[in-house]
Amino acid sequence: MEQIEVTMLGTGSPRPDLERKGPSQLLTVDGTHVLVDSGEGVTYQLMKAGICPSKINYLFMTHLHSDHLFGYGNFLLGGWGLGRRELTVVGPKGMKHFHDTLLDLFKDDIAYRMSLGRPGNGVLDVKIIEIEQPGTVENCGLDVEITAAEMIHNVQTYAYRFQIGDKSVVFSGDTAPTKEIIKLAENADILVLDASLTSNEIYENATDPELIKIWNELQKEHCTPSQAATIAQEANVEKLILTHFLPGIDEEKTYREASAKFQGKLYVGKDLETVQV
């Protein structure tokens, strides 16, 4: 029987937080690791989890917002420096431009390291797959059925369902409530879902017009814990992991709010927490 688990490498948001690194999760299937998003600190979080970054040969990006991408440079070059010789990256349109721009910025650095004898494999030959439309993700090299569905956010964002035999794990990326995530997550064993709109003293008690405007706009692009829980309940999910938290959340209140709507196993995600399928 296959061993499947999800490790929450980073459960934070664009706002820096000492308790939570940038958004990133790791799906592990019988020792094969698949990274989903690459937020700030992802390389060090992998190492803290006991996994060498060079062992990650697959990365799926949900979208190209900075908080999900800030860790990519260190993951790419650091993992190469540690011995990675193959990498496939799947994401929305724009991922190749971002990757190529990074290579151009560090071309002298890369050339120097290659002059020391390091091969270019794993950095100069990265396979980038840009998703043209929702549906089955093909030719990524994984022996897993992968489906992408478009979410509701302010940039193109894809959620991913990884179907491993009769087991399934779904990662939402950032999204407001949508029927597409309910459909994608139907009967999933684990759903990792954006719940940014948690009880938060910084925003709920805000008098600054800028903060008030930000909070109002966030409602159009993210879920509350109650909305996330309702999605999971309607999708008949077994385990729900809430993530993408702003600093200052009330974790107990978040759990109470979500558990009132969801009857499965509920997690208020924490960095480096691992959940077994």
Side-chain angles (χ1 to χ4, degrees), residues 53-98:
S54 67
K55 302 300 182 184
I56 312 296
N57 300 114
Y58 303 95
L59 166 62
F60 284 73
M61 292 299 308
T62 62
H63 62 296
L64 304 184
H65 271 167
S66 59
D67 54 321
H68 294 251
L69 268 175
F70 270 145
Y72 182 70
N74 198 18
F75 168 73
L76 174 66
L77 298 178
W80 173 58
L82 289 170
R84 185 198 303 117
R85 296 296 173 256
E86 292 184 12
L87 179 62
T88 297
V89 180
V90 178
K93 187 176 180 181
M95 186 64 220
K96 187 175 189 308
H97 173 69
F98 180 84

Side-chain angles (χ1 to χ4, degrees), residues 3-4 16 27 33 46 77 93 95 97-98 209 212 222 232:
Q3 183 177 357
I4 305 167
L27 172 65
H33 304 296
L46 284 166
L77 298 178
K93 187 176 180 181
M95 186 64 220
H97 173 69
F98 180 84
I212 293 171
H222 298 278

Side-chain angles (χ1 to χ4, degrees), residues 3-274:
Q3 183 177 357
I4 305 167
E5 61 185 25
V6 172
T7 302
M8 303 301 293
L9 298 172
T11 58
S13 71
R15 288 183 173 259
D17 186 345
L18 289 175
E19 301 299 320
R20 300 177 184 276
K21 297 296 188 293
S24 184
Q25 305 95 40
L26 187 72
L27 172 65
T28 302
V29 181
D30 281 346
T32 296
H33 304 296
V34 180
L35 189 61
V36 179
D37 287 334
S38 56
E40 179 73 14
V42 63
T43 302
Y44 303 109
Q45 292 295 87
L46 284 166
M47 297 176 80
K48 287 179 182 178
I51 300 164
C52 183
S54 67
K55 302 300 182 184
I56 312 296
N57 300 114
Y58 303 95
L59 166 62
F60 284 73
M61 292 299 308
T62 62
H63 62 296
L64 304 184
H65 271 167
S66 59
D67 54 321
H68 294 251
L69 268 175
F70 270 145
Y72 182 70
N74 198 18
F75 168 73
L76 174 66
L77 298 178
W80 173 58
L82 289 170
R84 185 198 303 117
R85 296 296 173 256
E86 292 184 12
L87 179 62
T88 297
V89 180
V90 178
K93 187 176 180 181
M95 186 64 220
K96 187 175 189 308
H97 173 69
F98 180 84
H99 172 83
D100 289 346
T101 300
L102 196 67
L103 290 186
D104 185 59
L105 287 171
F106 292 103
K107 60 186 178 183
D108 291 339
D109 187 344
I110 294 168
Y112 165 70
R113 298 181 194 286
M114 289 178 63
S115 76
L116 299 177
R118 186 171 297 150
N121 308 76
V123 66
L124 298 182
D125 61 351
V126 174
K127 182 178 182 180
I128 306 289
I129 299 173
E130 292 190 336
I131 298 174
E132 298 291 336
Q133 58 186 8
T136 302
V137 179
E138 299 178 335
N139 301 319
C140 69
L142 278 169
D143 187 23
V144 172
E145 182 182 340
I146 305 164
T147 306
E150 194 160 3
M151 298 292 98
I152 295 177
H153 201 43
N154 56 39
V155 295
Q156 188 175 58
T157 300
Y158 287 106
Y160 298 104
R161 180 184 180 113
F162 295 83
Q163 188 72 41
I164 309 108
D166 62 351
K167 303 295 183 181
S168 54
V169 178
V170 176
F171 301 91
S172 74
D174 294 4
T175 188
T178 169
K179 292 180 179 178
E180 292 302 316
I181 189 61
I182 297 173
K183 180 180 177 182
L184 187 72
E186 185 176 5
N187 298 321
D189 292 273
I190 295 179
L191 169 61
V192 180
L193 185 54
D194 168 16
S196 288
L197 304 180
T198 57
S199 296
N200 187 297
E201 59 184 19
I202 294 174
Y203 288 99
E204 289 184 336
N205 301 320
T207 56
D208 183 338
E210 180 181 339
L211 288 178
I212 293 171
K213 180 180 180 181
I214 290 172
W215 186 245
N216 288 337
E217 289 301 314
L218 288 176
Q219 323 268 333
K220 304 173 185 177
E221 296 157 5
H222 298 278
C223 293
T224 66
S226 179
Q227 289 170 332
T230 299
I231 287 168
Q233 187 66 28
E234 291 185 14
N236 193 36
V237 167
E238 182 177 332
K239 297 176 182 178
L240 170 64
I241 306 174
L242 303 179
T243 191
H244 205 280
F245 300 125
L246 295 161
I249 73 163
D250 185 329
E251 291 187 19
E252 291 184 4
K253 188 174 181 181
T254 297
Y255 184 89
R256 289 198 304 271
E257 182 181 335
S259 61
K261 300 289 186 179
F262 177 62
Q263 317 213 333
K265 180 67 174 176
L266 174 66
Y267 300 82
V268 177
K270 294 179 171 60
D271 283 19
L272 300 178
E273 180 175 28
T274 294

